Amino acid sequence: MCIIMLRLFASFVLALVFALPAQAVPPNVVLIVGDDQGAGDYGFMGHEHIKTPHLDKLARESLVFKRGYVPTSLCRASLATMVTGLYPHQHLMTSNDPPIPKGLTNAQAQKDVGFLKQRQEMIALFEKAATLPKLLEKEGYVSFQAGKWWEGNACRCGGFTEGMTHGDPAKGARHGDEGLKIGREGLQPVFDFLDKAQKDKKPFFVWYAPMMPHLPHNPPDRLFNKYKDKTKSEFVAKYWAMCEWFDETIGDVLAKLEKSGQSENTIVIYLHDNGWIQDETSANFAPKSKRSPYDGGLRTPILVKWPGHVKSGESDRLASSIDLAPTILRAVGAKPSKGMTGIDLLDAHWVASRGELFGETFEHNAVDITKPAANLQYRWVLDGNWKLILPHEPNVKDGQPELYDVAKDPTEKDNVAAKHPDKVRELTKRLDAWWKP
């Protein structure tokens, strides 16, 4: 009798085990970050001339947030936000570089012992942060850094299991060193990592942030020739060609995922680090774009593709790069770390119920590397279509509040703060509740 009961119990246990759903295979994650590109400078965003067929295809397969933003329009601060899920005043990487010593030019400062020491101190501050690679490694992920990276050695300081950036100041490291070769000089390091991860049967996270279409605007002649007759400005034509060149590299990455069979279980996310409006008379950016508190520097489309999990389409809701880390962590079954205040972009309820977006812009060279308020230029808040920009008086002399209806005035030319004092007061209170320096 006992034997019969044991056999029946064993059969029941086996039946229960086989009835349970199989453990889902963790999704891979590829984060693609453009560098210095305008929010409208894509085919899928309606640009009249720029051709981006690979991103256009990705957009058709993705959930697209056309009203995406980065909280700050300077690359180091913006990239650090993506990898930590924290605002610059939280992760402390507010500026690209330390203060320039008195009496020195920027070029001279790059060789100054004190300046380089402060740069290493900035990296040491960042090294304490809970980055995406560090958090994903706890979930069994391997990770690879390629492209722009300001925070020292990508593995030691960023937590990547592999990376291109050595971060050695003795070898001229600043914002990517060897990593800056990716894209312009091919993609083999990324491909080798993808092959290795597949062979080892490991879920992976890839940081693909090439310095494209960033200066120098030196596209191949075959691409420049496509655009040189579409504008009177050689500088604009070269920038447009760079956008297409960057798109080609993205196509190569996506084709690799498809060919290897990794695409079906990979989350692909695209955005850029800050906006860009090309000056028609020089290689530089025009006002109200990079480094500014205006939409020309802050807007970016945000694309999220996850086959079988994310329905493609366009969302008119607000999204921010502050949301990337919590979105990725929740997608892989992990919890966002303390301090992450972004939402899960794959949760329709959270997206629909979001109120406002916040952001801040800072000096290119810090005044004090440990005190964000010392480097602050502007804080901004976006509530629906109302956007308030508040200057920080110590660093912006004679600045005045600026209020815009970005739906009616997308280039932010008509400051209506004087006409809507109640709205200025209301949004100022929200900004102060978020962060009051």
Side-chain angles (χ1 to χ4, degrees):
M1 184 68 177
C2 290
I3 293 174
I4 294 173
M5 292 297 292
L6 284 171
R7 287 177 176 172
L8 287 172
F9 179 72
S11 299
F12 170 77
V13 171
L14 286 172
L16 181 63
V17 169
F18 285 112
L20 290 173
Q23 181 66 38
V25 178
N28 309 307
V29 182
V30 174
L31 178 59
I32 304 172
V33 186
D35 193 348
D36 289 1
Q37 186 159 349
D41 296 343
Y42 305 87
F44 71 92
M45 292 295 285
H47 198 279
E48 183 180 1
H49 300 296
I50 296 175
K51 303 300 181 184
T52 53
H54 303 291
L55 277 168
D56 295 352
K57 180 176 183 294
L58 180 63
R60 291 192 296 270
E61 300 168 344
S62 300
L63 174 59
V64 180
F65 294 92
K66 288 193 170 182
R67 294 194 72 195
Y69 281 78
V70 291
T72 191
S73 54
L74 187 63
C75 54
R76 183 177 193 170
S78 182
L79 295 174
T81 286
M82 294 178 197
V83 81
T84 63
L86 304 176
Y87 289 102
H89 73 265
Q90 294 175 305
H91 58 59
L92 303 182
M93 300 302 106
T94 61
S95 304
N96 276 359
D97 292 295
I100 298 177
K102 289 184 179 180
L104 298 184
T105 65
N106 185 53
Q108 291 170 334
Q110 306 303 319
K111 298 179 181 180
D112 179 75
V113 174
F115 180 86
L116 295 176
K117 182 175 181 290
Q118 281 210 297
R119 179 179 287 166
Q120 290 305 109
E121 289 171 358
M122 291 178 73
I123 292 170
L125 289 170
F126 179 85
E127 195 170 350
K128 301 174 183 177
T131 64
L132 266 174
K134 293 175 185 176
L135 296 171
L136 290 172
E137 187 174 18
K138 294 179 180 178
E139 306 299 321
Y141 279 69
V142 292
S143 55
F144 186 74
Q145 171 272 331
K148 206 85 169 276
W149 182 258
W150 290 81
E151 314 310 335
N153 183 279
C155 299
R156 186 184 72 251
C157 303
F160 291 91
T161 57
E162 298 181 45
M164 295 181 69
T165 296
H166 55 68
D168 185 352
K171 298 179 181 179
R174 178 174 177 257
H175 58 304
D177 51 77
E178 294 299 308
L180 301 183
K181 295 179 179 179
I182 206 69
R184 294 176 192 251
E185 299 183 28
L187 293 158
Q188 198 58 47
V190 173
F191 293 167
D192 290 345
F193 172 79
L194 292 174
D195 289 341
K196 185 172 181 288
Q198 186 171 44
K199 180 181 178 182
D200 295 341
K201 297 182 179 179
K202 288 281 192 179
F204 59 79
F205 170 66
V206 171
W207 171 273
Y208 177 56
M211 200 167 73
M212 300 177 76
H214 191 289
L215 291 169
H217 293 161
N218 56 351
D221 288 342
R222 62 181 175 81
L223 293 178
F224 174 61
N225 290 337
K226 288 178 62 174
Y227 293 102
K228 67 180 182 180
D229 295 329
K230 298 181 184 298
T231 171
K232 295 179 180 179
S233 169
E234 176 184 345
F235 302 106
V236 171
K238 286 182 176 179
Y239 165 68
W240 288 353
M242 287 298 301
C243 293
E244 184 169 350
W245 192 15
F246 174 41
D247 180 77
E248 288 183 349
T249 75
I250 293 173
D252 291 340
V253 172
L254 298 178
K256 171 66 175 178
L257 292 171
E258 288 284 352
K259 186 176 180 180
S260 65
Q262 294 166 307
S263 180
E264 285 303 306
N265 194 40
T266 296
I267 302 170
V268 177
I269 299 176
Y270 174 82
L271 76 168
H272 54 245
D273 65 345
N274 53 251
W276 182 272
I277 299 173
Q278 180 62 52
D279 185 344
E280 295 183 357
T281 62
S282 76
N284 296 322
F285 55 91
K288 288 196 170 184
S289 61
K290 181 175 180 173
R291 295 185 56 194
S292 84
Y294 301 101
D295 276 17
L298 299 165
R299 281 279 304 275
T300 174
I302 298 178
L303 281 57
V304 185
K305 175 188 174 183
W306 189 7
H309 296 268
V310 175
K311 186 178 180 180
S312 61
E314 293 183 4
S315 173
D316 61 355
R317 308 300 296 184
L318 294 172
S320 170
S321 62
I322 204 77
D323 304 324
L324 298 186
T327 297
I328 291 169
L329 290 169
R330 290 184 183 278
V332 307
K335 291 183 178 180
S337 66
K338 185 179 180 181
M340 291 184 184
T341 56
I343 68 170
D344 182 352
L345 291 177
L346 305 186
D347 187 313
H349 175 73
W350 279 16
V351 171
S353 60
R354 161 170 259 153
E356 59 275 285
L357 291 184
F358 297 101
E360 52 206 348
T361 62
F362 298 88
E363 302 284 350
H364 181 276
N365 284 76
V367 176
D368 187 318
I369 64 172
T370 64
K371 297 178 181 178
N375 314 318
L376 181 65
Q377 293 179 325
Y378 299 92
R379 291 177 299 153
W380 60 268
V381 56
L382 182 65
D383 178 31
N385 292 324
W386 286 111
K387 181 180 175 186
L388 176 69
I389 301 171
L390 282 187
H392 187 56
E393 179 61 27
N395 294 327
V396 183
K397 301 302 180 184
D398 301 320
Q400 298 294 323
E402 298 178 47
L403 182 69
Y404 300 99
D405 182 334
V406 294
K408 296 178 180 178
D409 181 20
T411 57
E412 294 159 291
K413 292 182 179 178
D414 185 15
N415 178 10
V416 295
K419 298 178 183 178
H420 301 277
D422 291 343
K423 179 60 70 173
V424 171
R425 282 192 291 270
E426 174 198 339
L427 294 180
T428 298
K429 287 181 180 179
R430 295 196 198 180
L431 266 176
D432 289 345
W434 168 65
W435 178 47
K436 187 174 183 179

